[in-house]
Amino acid sequence: MNAAALAREDRYLGDLGPKLYVRLGGIGLGLIVVSLVLGFFAKDWDRFWRAYVVAYCFVISICLGGLFFTILQHLTRAGWSVAIRRISEGLASNLRWLWILFIPIVWIVWTDSEGGLYHWTLGAEAMREMGGAEAGLLAHKEAFLNPMFWTLRAALYFAIWFALAQFFVGNSIAQDTSGDPSITSRMQALAAPAMILYAFTQTFAAVDWLMTLEFAWYSTMFGVYFFAASCCGFGATMILLIYFLQRAGRVTESISIEHYHDMGKFLFAFGIVFWAYIAYSQYMLIWYANMPEETTWFMVRQLGSWKGLSLLLILGHFFIPFFFLLTRHTKRVKGVLAAAAAWMVAIHFIDMYWLVMPMVPIELVQSVDGDYAALVIAFQAPENAAYDLNWQLFDVTLMLGFAALMVAGTAFGLRSRSLVPEQDPRLAESLAFENY
Amino acid sequence: MNDGAGTTATPAQSPRTIPSPSSVDESSEKLYGLLAEFETPAAIVSAAKKVHEAGYKWWDCCAPFPVHGLDKAMGIRPTILPWLVLGAGITGGTLGMLLQWFTNATNLELWSGPIWVTGYAFLVSGKPFASVPTWIPVMFEMTVLLAAIGAVVFLLLLNKLPQLYHPCFKNERFARVTDDRFFIIIEAKDPLFYRAKTQQLLTSLGATAVEEVQA
């Protein structure tokens, strides 16, 4: 480490900041408008709102990963990560405004009386009148799955995430000017309860927003699956953000190849191996027990073109990146690691798409009246081809728009702030850190 | 490693027989090498770099804890251990798969050494005999097991461990290698080893003491 070069490095976004948040913010909003227009012409709003949920979960999973990583560093009193922690704080700071983009989903839950997005918004009574076999099941779940309680829970998650982001990001930035080491002690002391709050809210949010898309289906591993996926999206995004920041001449000295190596390890451990471990565990338990109400969820994902997407996840989310990032050599070349991270961000989006998009249409479920073998055959009928994998342009434009807003929000959160926690008592340790 | 000039310059006469002021009357056949003591990690790293640049091959560094940058200063090649562990892991995964395929998906009968073994294809809850999802936990465990055992065994083999005796143990100064001193040992069998010249080199590198070690 070169002390003179370290003193000279540019640790502020400077003029890059407004460029990023004005332009990317504009691009993001523009892309969302374009998506709305595309959705208007497609005239399939149910499909549009599912794409909206995909894009929303893609972005919030990355920001939640940032919050998790920030809390984790304080919980473990980590030294190595101090130099890169501000970037994860920047991503976590988006949790202070991401609730705004959630309002349309709440609006849909309150107004969608036909159960187009969340089947359960139809209500047990209406479902029974339509002769649905699952109405009884919904009646049992209605105490939990009703728009009011669902909205209150979402408000609680956002309130907790807002508070956690405010506390950990705000204190870290306050330390930059005050240099008070007791701030670090305070964050460490609160990291443990914060992590518990994070674990509960993140799990319940994953259940509420993603798992209840098919209210009859349940998996006790679903919250952990979303967590593993969010670590994948976050780890890859952080590598990319730091890579491009360094390309733009920022924090070129304090973030070294050693930090890249460890970020690569984080992505490898959480985003690739842990994800595969949880995805397999979830699949194996359901496959082995072979209960019809559980297996439909995976069955849909093995029909038609969904099967190809499922196989793509197994190969592209685990086997290929596993062997690619297994060796230390690929993790220690910035460009190579950044390329792997770009791939993992893309595959994380496909993972979210795979969670949300495949669906058994409610009419189809009701028409077969609980006969799941008939459901398999019905799904393959030509008139149900629309439920097979069919990419829409707005799937991608919405995702890109949300991602642009996320990067803009991160840049806005870090505007005129140092990109390194200047006064953190462990910064020197982080700068001197080396891997064996 | 670079040993070009050094190797060709090796005299026909063994360097060990060159008399030196302090070891004339000792049995020079028993000289193991020269042990140099350093007081700080920084001193041993810079010294190791010079010894490496001088072209020595039969030498080593001893320190109470891992010293950052020492491997690089010594010019040690990257270890092949990861590749051996990868091989062990793949072997484990394959063995785990074959074991389950043989026991659950076949009715093969064969002698396994003195024991007669037979596959036992048995239908469990309507799943196929060759049911890959059920194999994964055992394949995973076998991969981890053989990779972990392989890592330990190959680590010991590559480092020629366990080694219960080393000539340096006779040196009283060397006891502090587990506490607060750092040592470079250059062995007498190195082609570049000359008793006086090597001592001069080590002293010039800032060694606080240079002592002979008898084999």
Side-chain angles (χ1 to χ4, degrees):
Chain A
M1 189 179 49
N2 185 333
L6 188 66
R8 274 200 313 273
E9 78 167 351
D10 190 353
R11 287 183 173 177
Y12 289 85
L13 280 175
D15 57 343
L16 190 62
K19 267 189 205 166
L20 278 176
Y21 60 75
V22 173
R23 286 188 196 165
L24 280 177
I27 290 171
L29 291 174
L31 280 171
I32 290 172
V33 172
V34 167
S35 309
L36 279 167
V37 173
L38 286 170
F40 179 77
F41 284 111
K43 291 202 171 52
D44 187 353
W45 288 108
D46 289 346
R47 180 71 178 67
F48 177 84
W49 287 114
R50 289 181 94 84
Y52 192 95
V53 171
V54 173
Y56 189 80
C57 287
F58 171 72
V59 162
I60 202 155
S61 67
I62 291 171
C63 297
L64 281 172
L67 181 63
F68 163 73
F69 186 84
T70 308
I71 300 174
L72 182 67
Q73 304 319 309
H74 292 298
L75 186 63
T76 56
R77 307 185 175 186
W80 72 272
S81 59
V82 173
I84 59 169
R85 207 185 63 219
R86 189 50 55 80
I87 310 301
S88 75
E89 288 168 358
L91 282 169
S93 72
N94 290 321
L95 292 168
R96 294 183 291 197
W97 60 268
L98 268 174
W99 57 271
I100 296 168
L101 291 176
F102 193 74
I103 292 171
I105 301 178
V106 175
W107 178 70
I108 283 295
V109 163
W110 280 89
T111 58
D112 181 16
S113 56
E114 295 183 352
L117 180 61
Y118 293 95
H119 291 176
W120 54 265
T121 56
L122 189 60
E125 272 310 306
M127 201 176 277
R128 188 170 289 124
E129 277 164 28
M130 289 169 71
E134 291 178 321
L137 195 53
L138 182 56
H140 281 292
K141 298 192 177 192
E142 237 172 9
F144 191 78
L145 277 184
N146 59 72
M148 177 52 85
F149 192 26
W150 189 89
T151 309
L152 284 176
R153 284 198 304 272
L156 181 67
Y157 312 146
F158 281 113
I160 289 173
W161 295 339
F162 185 99
L164 291 180
Q166 190 67 33
F167 178 77
F168 284 100
V169 180
N171 269 313
S172 176
I173 284 170
Q175 196 180 42
D176 277 2
T177 41
S178 75
D180 181 3
S182 71
I183 290 179
T184 298
S185 311
R186 200 156 63 238
M187 287 197 283
Q188 282 167 359
L190 275 165
M195 192 61 102
I196 294 170
L197 275 178
Y198 169 81
F200 274 106
T201 49
Q202 190 263 169
T203 304
F204 273 85
V207 168
D208 272 4
W209 304 348
L210 289 170
M211 205 172 95
T212 68
L213 283 164
E214 307 257 355
F215 72 88
W217 181 76
Y218 55 91
S219 160
T220 47
M221 309 213 52
F222 197 83
V224 190
Y225 183 90
F226 183 76
F227 165 69
S230 88
C231 286
C232 171
F234 160 72
T237 306
M238 180 166 65
I239 291 168
L240 282 178
L241 286 182
I242 289 174
Y243 178 73
F244 285 111
L245 272 178
Q246 293 201 319
R247 287 279 297 263
R250 306 303 195 277
V251 285
T252 45
E253 301 300 321
S254 50
I255 299 180
S256 69
I257 197 70
E258 306 294 339
H259 297 110
Y260 277 83
H261 188 174
D262 266 23
M263 288 189 289
K265 287 185 215 165
F266 178 83
L267 177 62
F268 179 81
F270 276 87
I272 298 172
V273 180
F274 184 61
W275 176 89
Y277 177 70
I278 294 303
Y280 167 73
S281 301
Q282 178 168 279
Y283 177 81
M284 205 269 276
L285 290 174
I286 290 173
W287 172 84
Y288 205 83
N290 209 12
M291 316 267 273
E293 68 269 31
E294 290 178 359
T295 48
T296 41
W297 194 84
F298 278 111
M299 195 185 63
V300 175
R301 284 156 181 79
Q302 290 173 17
L303 294 175
S305 306
W306 295 119
K307 189 175 188 172
L309 207 66
S310 302
L311 290 173
L312 175 68
L313 278 181
I314 296 173
L315 287 176
H317 207 310
F318 177 65
F319 278 101
I320 296 169
F322 176 81
F323 284 105
F324 186 75
L325 285 181
L326 185 57
T327 166
R328 81 200 313 261
H329 302 290
T330 47
K331 287 182 288 236
R332 289 183 73 89
V333 180
K334 291 181 182 181
V336 173
L337 185 64
W343 169 260
M344 292 313 292
V345 169
I347 207 82
H348 172 60
F349 170 65
I350 291 177
D351 186 23
M352 291 293 117
Y353 192 88
W354 179 86
L355 279 183
V356 174
M357 280 293 173
M359 65 175 289
V360 188
I362 195 159
E363 302 82 14
L364 204 59
V365 174
Q366 288 166 349
S367 71
V368 298
D369 198 25
D371 182 349
Y372 288 93
L375 184 63
V376 176
I377 296 161
F379 189 85
Q380 285 160 321
E383 65 267 25
N384 290 322
Y387 301 113
D388 204 347
L389 173 64
N390 60 331
W391 286 98
Q392 298 287 336
L393 192 55
F394 56 66
D395 292 340
V396 179
T397 51
L398 267 178
M399 181 272 281
L400 289 178
F402 277 44
L405 285 182
M406 178 186 73
V407 177
T410 309
F412 189 77
L414 297 179
R415 75 192 183 286
S416 68
R417 315 284 190 212
S418 172
L419 296 171
V420 172
E422 303 272 4
Q423 302 294 328
D424 191 289
R426 295 196 179 87
L427 181 60
E429 184 186 340
S430 181
L431 295 176
F433 155 74
E434 268 184 63
N435 277 294
Y436 266 103
Chain B
M1 274 196 288
N2 175 26
D3 58 358
T7 314
T8 51
T10 307
Q13 188 190 28
S14 167
R16 273 168 276 170
T17 59
I18 294 175
S20 65
S22 65
S23 65
V24 176
D25 47 357
E26 288 177 30
S27 171
S28 54
E29 282 304 312
K30 281 160 70 184
L31 183 63
Y32 174 78
L34 282 177
L35 184 69
E37 184 193 65
F38 297 88
E39 285 188 340
T40 62
I44 195 174
V45 169
S46 71
K49 207 172 169 190
K50 297 274 167 45
V51 174
H52 171 58
E53 280 165 5
Y56 286 95
K57 286 173 75 179
W58 290 92
W59 65 290
D60 206 353
C61 294
C62 304
F65 49 81
V67 177
H68 280 301
L70 189 58
D71 291 20
K72 209 176 156 193
M74 289 175 71
I76 294 176
R77 282 169 302 164
T79 170
I80 59 160
L81 185 63
W83 295 102
L84 297 173
V85 175
L86 178 68
I90 290 173
T91 309
T94 312
L95 280 176
M97 191 183 71
L98 288 176
L99 172 75
Q100 293 174 95
W101 170 77
F102 168 69
T103 52
N104 294 331
T106 73
N107 282 312
L108 288 177
E109 299 179 350
L110 51 92
W111 287 102
S112 169
I115 305 162
W116 177 249
V117 291
T118 171
Y120 191 63
F122 189 73
L123 192 67
V124 180
S125 60
K127 301 280 192 285
F129 290 125
S131 197
V132 178
T134 53
W135 292 357
I136 291 177
V138 174
M139 285 172 66
F140 169 76
E141 295 297 343
M142 286 287 283
T143 307
V144 173
L145 181 71
L146 260 71
I149 291 175
V152 174
V153 170
F154 288 127
L155 172 87
L156 294 178
L157 287 178
L158 289 175
N159 286 298
K160 300 188 179 77
L161 292 172
Q163 183 180 5
L164 299 177
Y165 174 73
H166 192 278
C168 287
F169 293 171
K170 285 187 292 197
N171 188 291
E172 273 180 31
R173 284 179 182 277
F174 195 69
R176 288 179 76 174
V177 75
T178 58
D179 183 11
D180 60 351
R181 285 293 185 275
F182 306 81
F183 292 90
I184 288 180
I185 171 93
I186 301 183
E187 293 181 32
K189 68 180 169 187
D190 192 287
L192 289 181
F193 186 91
Y194 290 92
R195 177 66 184 76
K197 208 178 117 189
T198 305
Q199 173 153 20
Q200 194 188 7
L201 172 74
L202 288 169
T203 312
S204 75
L205 295 178
T208 47
V210 180
E211 289 184 2
E212 279 186 357
V213 174
Q214 303 303 323

